[in-house]
Amino acid sequence: VQEGGNFQSPMFFVQINNDEAPSLGTTTMKWNHSTGDVWLHPEEMYELSIPLYERGGVSDIREIHLDLSSNAVQSSTIIYNSTSKECTSLNNYLEIESCGLTTVGSDDYFARDGMFSISFNLKWGYDPDVNLRRLPLITLYDQIGQSNQFELSSLSWRFSGEITIERESIEFIFADSSSSEIGYFVEPRTVFD
């Protein structure tokens, strides 16, 4: 057969195993920057790693839908497509730096264990609710459309876009004098820095 493919780019597959929908792997899923109570802030880069298992090999995973805050009003869904090997964000304030699905423990095309990793940052303007503990939800689809969905409660997180300005760093300048008092009463049209 001419151009019959090779191990890296096969022409076709023959399935021997019973097929199952993809599921979560057995290794630890984690935020790569923190343990414990996780707070995310605008304009900082974050990484997330989620182990996956597919009986027919992780190459059988067609799409991954990861909603970083499934319990919020505003969707924070990221969609990974295995054909294009690209991620798309459905939230204007969620920017993806990189993402990918790799095999774990083997470079075999049919390796059953994989790791979905994503690097992203949240922009100013993201949903500012500091009281909401956000619950990630992942949905995995294989090539024939079977799917599984899992809540990732161990990866719950909070977001804060609030900033703190140290009082000592603030200085008011009126005409030729300056002061660092906590507050001032000024007349209308008073010019100050």
Side-chain angles (χ1 to χ4, degrees):
V1 177
Q2 291 182 340
E3 298 180 19
N6 56 43
F7 190 76
Q8 285 73 31
S9 181
M11 188 169 78
F12 57 87
F13 299 106
V14 175
Q15 180 176 327
I16 298 171
N17 292 353
N18 289 332
D19 200 15
E20 295 177 354
S23 63
L24 294 178
T26 56
T27 57
T28 305
M29 61 185 80
K30 62 181 179 174
W31 291 100
N32 294 351
H33 72 284
S34 178
T35 57
D37 205 15
V38 176
W39 282 88
L40 305 188
H41 306 282
E43 303 297 335
E44 293 185 24
M45 195 59 62
Y46 297 103
E47 289 184 37
L48 185 59
S49 299
I50 303 169
L52 303 178
Y53 175 82
E54 166 57 59
R55 186 172 183 172
V58 291
S59 60
D60 192 35
I61 296 174
R62 178 177 44 101
E63 274 189 3
I64 299 170
H65 293 213
L66 175 62
D67 188 347
L68 290 173
S69 65
S70 65
N71 57 332
V73 174
Q74 186 181 34
S75 172
S76 297
T77 301
I78 297 164
I79 298 175
Y80 170 77
N81 181 297
S82 66
T83 304
S84 66
K85 301 203 180 325
E86 293 181 358
C87 282
T88 306
S89 169
L90 300 184
N91 186 309
N92 292 333
Y93 298 105
L94 195 160
E95 184 176 273
I96 300 165
E97 176 71 20
S98 65
C99 72
L101 177 60
T102 57
T103 58
V104 175
S106 171
D107 289 336
D108 184 355
Y109 195 79
F110 299 102
R112 295 177 176 189
D113 293 310
M115 186 69 70
F116 177 61
S117 301
I118 184 156
S119 297
F120 66 94
N121 69 64
L122 300 168
K123 299 295 185 188
W124 291 98
Y126 186 79
D127 179 9
D129 188 349
V130 295
N131 297 313
L132 180 63
R133 181 175 294 278
R134 297 160 200 271
L135 180 64
L137 178 78
I138 192 167
T139 308
L140 308 168
Y141 299 90
D142 71 7
Q143 297 293 344
I144 62 171
Q146 297 179 104
S147 66
N148 263 332
Q149 190 172 71
F150 303 94
E151 284 187 350
L152 308 176
S153 56
S154 65
L155 298 176
S156 65
W157 58 283
R158 291 182 169 172
F159 176 78
S160 175
E162 296 177 355
I163 60 173
T164 300
I165 299 173
E166 297 294 331
R167 193 171 113 186
E168 300 79 36
S169 70
I170 300 174
E171 181 181 28
F172 293 91
I173 302 171
F174 299 94
D176 294 330
S177 64
S178 66
S179 180
S180 58
E181 295 292 322
I182 193 167
Y184 297 94
F185 289 100
V186 294
E187 295 177 9
R189 297 187 185 88
T190 300
V191 177
F192 64 92
D193 295 326

